Amino acid sequence: FQIDIAKKGQKLGIRYDDSDGTGLVIKIINPGVFYDSIMEQNSDRWVMPDDRIVEVNGVRGKSEWLEEQCMKADVLSMKVERLLPPLGVRIFCRSQDPTVKIHAYDLFGHGRGPLACVARTLNGMSTRYGLFHTGVEVYGCEWFFGASAEGLFHGVNCNEAKQHAQHRYRTSVVLGATAMSQDDFEELMPLLRMKWPAWSYHPISRNCHSFTDFFCKILGFRSVPRFGLFGSGDSSVVPGPDRTEARSLMPGCGCSSLKAGEGRGAVSDPSKWPC
């Protein structure tokens, strides 16, 4: 596919690998004109990490020629290639279970520092005023949002359910089954990850709870539990510390077709997502 970028005298804000000698494989997209420009495109033209730039302003053949165009030209017309998975192979669905569960953790609860101690103490008494991390399990994987100490692009990543490396698992809330199909989920996740880059993380205003709330709404749930001081959602549906599950909040309200925009929770145009 082709995209057009107007640099307006600014740096592109991308890091790439030119080792194949003929293209530029995008590895990291930083804040800047490149990210802002692709977010203005239709979602089928969102350039993603591991996409390969093969032509710039009609120039192709050698990586250094492409790089020269990117550095010197103010308006860039790029042709981009994407390596697609084999037909029928699912990347994001690790099981066929559509049940959506929110897993809550004591923030940095595996540590011995004062923050970990405060989190474990408060969280044991209240889910309203504690310090939590949350993730969302669906189709066999738990998805969460966070910053990247290594400067990587993706802020949305997954771990085994209830097994976050930095936080200590405490409790779960079962929302019910999403009506989003596995095919639609496979289409959703690359777009969702593009809208939540690691560098957009903020510990108060755009944190793991913000993502949990948004993700569950995309999956078709009207309201989600609120955990802790910096949580998002509805505090009235959070179970007490002696319970590990809650009844489904909004059963059967998931979206049936992301692409077609059908169903109560569907979003047909990711560029208009309020995130």
Side-chain angles (χ1 to χ4, degrees), residues 4 11 25-26 48 63 86 110 121 148 155 209 213 232 262 271:
D4 297 319
K11 293 183 178 180
V25 180
I26 296 174
M48 302 179 183
S63 299
H110 290 309
T121 301
S148 171
H209 307 298
D213 183 44
S232 297
E262 300 169 355
S271 66

Side-chain angles (χ1 to χ4, degrees), residues 99-104 127 135-137 162 169 171-176 216 223-227 237-240 243-249:
T99 304
V100 179
K101 304 175 185 177
I102 296 178
H103 300 306
T127 55
V136 181
E137 180 186 357
K162 308 179 184 180
Y169 172 76
T171 189
S172 299
V173 177
V174 178
L175 301 187
C216 288
S223 183
V224 299
R226 177 185 176 94
F227 280 93
V237 299
V238 177
R243 296 176 59 188
T244 58
E245 295 187 344
R247 295 179 61 188
S248 173
L249 303 181

Side-chain angles (χ1 to χ4, degrees), residues 204-225:
I204 297 176
S205 61
R206 187 178 169 88
N207 55 29
C208 61
H209 307 298
S210 310
F211 172 76
T212 292
D213 183 44
F214 179 80
F215 188 27
C216 288
K217 287 177 179 176
I218 291 293
L219 292 173
F221 296 90
R222 183 180 301 168
S223 183
V224 299

Side-chain angles (χ1 to χ4, degrees), residues 61-256:
K62 290 188 177 182
S63 299
E64 55 263 35
W65 296 347
L66 304 181
E67 186 176 20
E68 183 179 10
Q69 286 293 317
C70 289
M71 295 178 65
K72 291 185 176 180
D74 195 52
V75 178
L76 306 174
S77 179
M78 297 179 171
K79 289 187 177 179
V80 182
E81 292 181 348
R82 176 170 300 156
L83 183 62
L84 299 175
L87 187 64
V89 173
R90 301 193 188 280
I91 304 298
F92 301 102
C93 295
R94 299 185 180 178
S95 80
Q96 298 181 0
D97 185 1
T99 304
V100 179
K101 304 175 185 177
I102 296 178
H103 300 306
Y105 300 76
D106 297 335
L107 191 68
F108 300 115
H110 290 309
R112 297 184 177 180
L115 182 60
C117 182
V118 169
R120 289 193 297 265
T121 301
L122 286 177
N123 296 359
M125 297 185 294
S126 170
T127 55
R128 187 185 298 270
Y129 301 110
L131 298 174
F132 292 90
H133 165 81
T134 55
V136 181
E137 180 186 357
V138 62
Y139 286 126
C141 192
E142 180 183 328
W143 296 92
F144 65 92
F145 173 63
S148 171
E150 296 81 16
L152 302 178
F153 174 76
H154 285 306
V156 174
N157 295 288
C158 69
N159 54 253
E160 295 295 326
K162 308 179 184 180
Q163 299 295 322
H164 196 286
Q166 293 181 308
H167 312 296
R168 188 178 74 169
Y169 172 76
R170 177 167 288 274
T171 189
S172 299
V173 177
V174 178
L175 301 187
T178 178
M180 181 179 290
S181 69
Q182 292 183 64
D183 288 340
D184 285 342
F185 189 81
E186 290 287 327
E187 182 180 353
L188 165 73
M189 290 311 299
L191 305 178
L192 193 68
R193 298 182 84 199
M194 285 299 297
K195 293 289 283 188
W196 292 78
W199 44 258
S200 72
Y201 178 87
H202 187 279
I204 297 176
S205 61
R206 187 178 169 88
N207 55 29
C208 61
H209 307 298
S210 310
F211 172 76
T212 292
D213 183 44
F214 179 80
F215 188 27
C216 288
K217 287 177 179 176
I218 291 293
L219 292 173
F221 296 90
R222 183 180 301 168
S223 183
V224 299
R226 177 185 176 94
F227 280 93
L229 292 170
F230 307 113
S232 297
D234 185 353
S235 59
S236 68
V237 299
V238 177
D242 59 332
R243 296 176 59 188
T244 58
E245 295 187 344
R247 295 179 61 188
S248 173
L249 303 181
M250 288 293 294
C253 72
C255 61
S256 59

